[in-house]
């Protein structure tokens, strides 16, 4: 699921910082940026993004950036994009809530804020899709009666069309006569009716509705390139990353280790969810965590004896992982 986004901010340095963090998420696709109200509105109407990062307390007052931009969108769009407010003050948070913004992030922006916002957006979209599906499935008795009547009429029309085709081929067109009584019905009439009935049963094909499979998002493939050697790794198979000076060791679920000549900070900037940094030396795939001991400040890796420490500076990431487990299919005993 991708989210094309636009950044609207009067500070160009702030635009670059927002984009730098967003580039670390494969779900976010940069479209364009604007520095004032008019240009921002035009970009939204032109590109129809799913997500907007909006500054509402600009340093340059001539940019006219404010929550009023959201009101303007309702004049032109049936579906309003998800809007995330990015500003340096908390003062306008209550007012922003009245405009039903998706999130409110305080500058300087942090990667963890983006993770939380993306999770919120995904959850909201999934709930909307479920609601739409349920509305489509629920029909009143009157609607069902109309559909049944329409289906019967369509079937009857199909029968009549095929009967006409049959008679054209035999060059013996049927002329509709008033229905005969049982006394007037001859043996020839009975044989003709039997022939038509047999045709309608044998020649009309059955129609089956085949449900199309939803598009399955392809897993992210990590390519480790070295002197013409291309090593492709499915990120779903990666348990954790470990820093080793200016290189990084990638530990796979089969026990294998691959070395990449990039720093751990580089991987932190490009890896999407479910990877999270928990220590100066470790990035972990939360899908391979089997246990978190907050007292000892360690994470346990599934099906191994490996224990990864987490530091106070990244404790917030660990807390987020704990909350994600609790929000899933979860039973606490």
């Amino acid at each position: 699921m991708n989210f094309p986004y636009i950044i609207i901010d009067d500070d160009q340095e702030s635009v670059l910082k927002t984009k730098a963090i967003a580039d670390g998420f494969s779900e976010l696709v940069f479209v364009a940026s604007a520095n004032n109200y008019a240009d921002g509105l035009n970009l939204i109407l032109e590109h129809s993004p799913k997500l907007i990062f909006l500054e509402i307390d600009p340093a340059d007052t001539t940019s006219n950036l404010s929550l009023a931009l959201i009101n303007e969108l309702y004049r032109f769009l049936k579906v309003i994009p998800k809007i995330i407010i990015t500003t340096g003050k908390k003062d306008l948070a209550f007012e922003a809530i009245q405009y039903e913004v998706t999130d409110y992030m305080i500058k300087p922006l942090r990667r963890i804020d983006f993770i939380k916002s993306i999770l919120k957006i995904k959850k909201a979209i999934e709930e909307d899709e479920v609601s739409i599906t349920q509305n489509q499935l629920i029909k009143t008795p009157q609607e069902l009666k109309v559909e049944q009547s329409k289906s019967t009429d369509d079937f009857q029309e199909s029968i009549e069309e095929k009967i006409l085709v049959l008679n054209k081929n035999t060059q013996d067109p049927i002329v509709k006569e008033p229905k005969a009584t049982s006394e007037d019905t001859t043996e020839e009439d009975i044989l003709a009716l039997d022939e038509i009935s047999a045709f309608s049963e044998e020649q009309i094909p059955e129609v089956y509705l085949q449900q199309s499979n939803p598009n399955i998002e392809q897993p992210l493939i990590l390519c480790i390139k070295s002197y013409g050697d291309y090593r492709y790794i499915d990120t779903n198979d990666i348990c954790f990353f470990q820093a080793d000076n200016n290189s990084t060791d990638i530990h796979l679920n089969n026990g294998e280790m691959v070395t990449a000549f990039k720093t751990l900070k580089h991987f932190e900037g490009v890896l999407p969810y479910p990877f999270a940094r928990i220590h100066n030396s470790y990035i972990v795939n939360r899908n391979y965590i089997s246990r978190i001991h907050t007292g000892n400040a360690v994470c346990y890796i599934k099906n191994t004896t490996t224990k990864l420490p987490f530091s106070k500076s990244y404790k917030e990431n660990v807390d987020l992982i704990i909350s994600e487990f609790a929000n899933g299919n979860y039973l606490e005993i």
Side-chain angles (χ1 to χ4, degrees):
M1 185 180 298
N2 290 330
F3 302 100
Y5 70 93
I6 285 176
I7 303 173
I8 304 176
D9 196 321
D10 65 311
D11 184 355
Q12 187 60 30
E13 183 178 354
S14 181
V15 170
L16 295 176
K17 288 181 180 179
T18 302
K19 184 178 182 299
I21 299 177
D23 285 345
F25 296 84
S26 59
E27 300 95 333
L28 302 181
V29 180
F30 179 71
V31 176
S33 65
N35 301 115
N36 58 69
Y37 178 101
D39 291 345
L41 177 62
N42 292 338
L43 283 178
I44 295 170
L45 299 181
E46 179 181 356
H47 297 285
S48 300
K50 290 185 178 179
L51 182 61
I52 300 170
F53 293 97
L54 175 63
E55 169 65 80
I56 57 173
D57 186 29
D60 181 8
T61 56
T62 61
S63 66
N64 294 324
L65 294 180
S66 68
L67 290 167
L69 176 62
I70 301 176
N71 273 342
E72 191 70 8
L73 294 179
Y74 280 97
R75 293 182 54 200
F76 302 100
L77 303 177
K78 290 185 178 179
V79 179
I80 304 301
K82 304 294 182 183
I83 298 176
I84 297 177
I85 302 301
T86 58
T87 187
K89 297 180 181 179
K90 299 180 180 179
D91 304 348
L92 299 172
F94 180 76
E95 187 179 353
I97 291 173
Q98 308 305 311
Y99 284 81
E100 299 182 350
V101 300
T102 302
D103 210 343
Y104 192 99
M105 296 197 297
I106 303 296
K107 296 177 181 178
L109 304 181
R110 302 174 301 169
R111 178 180 169 82
I112 191 66
D113 296 328
F114 276 72
I115 294 175
K116 292 177 180 178
S117 290
I118 292 173
L119 290 175
K120 284 181 185 178
I121 293 171
K122 285 183 176 179
K123 183 178 179 181
I125 291 176
E126 288 173 358
E127 290 175 350
D128 290 344
E129 289 176 349
V130 170
S131 177
I132 292 172
T133 301
Q134 290 176 343
N135 290 336
Q136 290 175 341
L137 292 176
I138 298 174
K139 295 182 183 296
T140 65
Q142 185 176 2
E143 290 174 330
L144 291 172
K145 186 175 181 180
V146 170
E147 288 186 2
Q148 184 177 7
S149 175
K150 183 178 180 182
S151 176
T152 303
D153 293 342
D154 291 343
F155 179 76
Q156 183 65 31
E157 290 177 4
S158 176
I159 293 290
E160 292 176 357
E161 288 176 0
K162 293 185 180 294
I163 292 173
L164 288 175
V165 171
L166 175 65
N167 284 280
K168 284 181 180 179
N169 292 337
T170 58
Q171 295 181 353
D172 185 19
I174 293 177
V175 179
K176 290 186 178 181
E177 298 285 349
K179 291 184 179 179
T181 63
S182 57
E183 295 178 356
D184 298 331
T185 303
T186 64
E187 185 177 351
E188 292 180 358
D189 294 333
I190 295 173
L191 291 175
L193 288 172
D194 289 341
E195 186 177 339
I196 293 173
S197 176
F199 170 80
S200 62
E201 291 178 359
E202 294 178 3
Q203 300 298 324
I204 300 176
E206 295 184 13
V207 178
Y208 297 92
L209 296 178
Q210 183 175 2
Q211 185 176 3
S212 59
N213 294 326
N215 292 329
I216 301 175
E217 187 174 348
Q218 296 297 321
L220 176 65
I221 301 299
L222 185 65
C223 177
I224 308 299
K225 179 181 176 183
S226 177
Y227 301 103
D229 180 18
Y230 296 81
R231 174 67 184 270
Y232 301 103
I233 303 174
D234 188 333
T235 53
N236 291 333
D237 297 333
I238 299 175
C239 297
F240 64 94
F241 294 77
Q242 181 176 6
D244 184 10
N245 294 324
N246 290 327
S247 64
T248 301
D249 295 331
I250 305 172
H251 294 260
L252 307 181
N253 57 8
N254 61 2
E256 187 180 357
M257 185 188 76
V258 180
T259 299
F261 295 98
K262 295 285 186 181
T263 63
L264 193 68
K265 186 173 182 62
H266 170 80
F267 284 104
E268 181 186 13
V270 299
L271 287 171
Y273 175 86
F275 293 95
R277 189 161 186 174
I278 60 173
H279 190 275
N280 286 337
S281 299
Y282 295 101
I283 293 175
V284 68
N285 183 342
R286 57 91 69 194
N287 293 331
Y288 283 95
I289 294 177
S290 62
R291 178 183 176 188
I292 297 176
H293 197 305
T294 56
N296 294 335
V298 292
C299 296
Y300 293 74
I301 301 300
K302 286 181 183 178
N303 304 321
T304 70
T305 58
T306 304
K307 294 186 290 184
L308 304 182
F310 59 84
S311 57
K312 289 183 179 179
S313 56
Y314 293 99
K315 177 67 163 53
E316 190 176 22
N317 288 358
V318 176
D319 291 338
L320 179 61
I321 292 173
I322 293 174
S323 67
E324 287 171 359
F325 277 116
N327 290 332
N329 193 6
Y330 175 82
L331 176 62
E332 187 173 303
I333 300 175

